[in-house]
Amino acid sequence: MRLFDAGVTYPNGTVALQPTSLEFAEGVFTILLGPSGAGKSTLLRSLNGIVPLSQGQVASAHLGVLRNARQWREHRRKTGMIFQQHQLIGRLTALANVLMGRLGHHSTLRSLLPLSVDEKRMALEALDRVGLLDYALRRADQLSGGQQQRVGIARALAQAPNLILADEPVASLDPATAERVLALLHGICRQDGLSAIISLHQVELARQFADRIIGINGGHVVFDGPPDRLGEDAIRRIYDGTSIPQKNPSAAYELEMTP
Ligand code: ADP
């Protein structure tokens, strides 16, 4: 994925993402850090077109610059989204929720027909990978928070994605469960060579799992580098940056770019 000079201003005038160019290499586990309101969700949502750019362009590794609705649809079909509140349908089984991940692969008419045995096999395999095969027929609202988020991961995997985008996927879990769920997602991405871009608010989890950390403050990228470069200075830039003048960020912050 690439962002070229991408900026987002919401209709109410809030500048959520200042013009930003970033390249996300294949197979890299990238974590976005930043205070609340920094622009992490906006950046993630712009990468799958939920939030349209006000300027600049998005390019996918597989489709090039995304210019029209058909290309965006194709890109979204191969992009697994994982949300903080996992957005499962509580009264449906874990399996039915995972099967939702397959719907984007069909035309509207086809999706009204029963899903094939192959589709169900893919969904069950995805549940197996997150350790929930035995819970496939359990209602989603009868699962624990950690299990529900694992169903959310399985639903994303059932899309056979090229890319995973996750917006605060472990924010509503207790610390031990958060670490286990993130370790699971990390292991799967590693195994499949999947690119992932994940926003988190736990710095320690970012240090533990990220290949690359991108720090955002006030819609600007203020740090970009591997975890071992994330020192005290960088943490201050990411979390206290509001006191630093925003006019000319590249002068105020010495960006640490990945090679
Ligand atoms: P983060 O994910 O880092 O908490 P967001 O991307 O959600 O940050 O928000 C960035 C900024 O954009 C914040 O000032 C937020 O209030 C604003 N914002 C987010 N969504 C909208 C929206 N739909 N309309 C207007 N402003 C928004």
Side-chain angles (χ1 to χ4, degrees):
M1 291 295 296
R2 285 188 84 153
L3 286 174
F4 301 96
D5 204 26
V8 175
T9 302
Y10 285 108
N12 68 358
T14 304
V15 181
L17 183 65
Q18 302 282 349
T20 299
S21 294
L22 286 169
E23 178 162 9
F24 299 96
E26 297 274 291
V28 175
F29 201 80
T30 300
I31 290 185
L32 307 180
L33 288 180
S36 182
K40 304 180 296 296
S41 291
T42 301
L43 174 57
L44 281 170
R45 283 158 199 263
S46 71
L47 286 169
N48 77 350
I50 298 177
V51 168
L53 294 181
S54 317
Q55 72 166 82
Q57 290 177 315
V58 182
S60 108
H62 301 267
L63 299 163
V65 174
L66 301 169
R67 297 182 193 281
N68 56 44
R70 189 185 54 76
Q71 289 170 326
W72 274 109
R73 215 167 26 247
E74 177 67 13
H75 170 63
R76 274 199 283 268
R77 193 168 64 79
K78 299 296 273 180
T79 301
M81 275 300 282
I82 301 170
F83 303 92
Q84 177 178 350
Q85 294 302 343
H86 35 72
Q87 304 199 346
L88 304 181
I89 301 176
R91 66 189 160 74
L92 296 183
T93 62
L95 177 61
N97 273 284
V98 174
L99 282 166
M100 298 278 179
R102 299 294 309 158
L103 287 183
H105 286 256
H106 304 298
S107 66
T108 316
L109 277 179
R110 171 68 184 78
S111 66
L112 295 174
L113 296 173
L115 290 161
S116 67
V117 171
D118 268 358
E119 306 273 357
K120 287 187 187 141
R121 186 181 42 76
M122 283 186 81
L124 288 169
E125 277 171 9
L127 277 170
D128 196 20
R129 290 191 79 185
V130 299
L132 288 178
L133 190 54
D134 291 345
Y135 294 79
L137 299 179
R138 190 76 68 87
R139 272 175 66 132
D141 57 10
Q142 288 170 1
L143 300 173
S144 70
Q147 288 169 334
Q148 290 187 12
Q149 194 51 289
R150 279 149 64 194
V151 175
I153 293 173
R155 181 181 53 192
L157 293 176
Q159 281 179 249
N162 295 322
L163 170 70
I164 295 277
L165 300 176
D167 197 357
E168 303 257 10
V170 297
S172 55
L173 305 177
D174 65 80
T177 308
E179 182 176 343
R180 272 203 303 278
V181 169
L182 199 62
L184 176 74
L185 180 60
H186 178 259
I188 288 171
C189 289
R190 232 341 137 260
Q191 211 169 29
D192 292 6
L194 256 179
S195 312
I197 308 170
I198 294 166
S199 70
L200 284 188
H201 65 241
Q202 302 94 327
V203 174
E204 285 320 307
L205 289 181
R207 284 193 211 279
Q208 193 179 339
F209 292 107
D211 297 317
R212 174 188 186 187
I213 294 174
I214 296 178
I216 303 180
N217 185 296
H220 294 278
V221 172
V222 296
F223 174 84
D224 188 351
D228 60 8
R229 301 266 294 276
L230 186 77
E232 284 306 310
D233 263 14
I235 295 286
R236 231 172 288 124
R237 259 181 278 154
I238 297 171
Y239 290 100
D240 298 335
T242 38
S243 59
I244 298 172
Q246 302 278 312
K247 272 267 180 283
N248 185 357
S250 51
Y253 312 122
E254 182 201 342
L255 290 188
E256 299 180 43
M257 308 302 289
T258 40

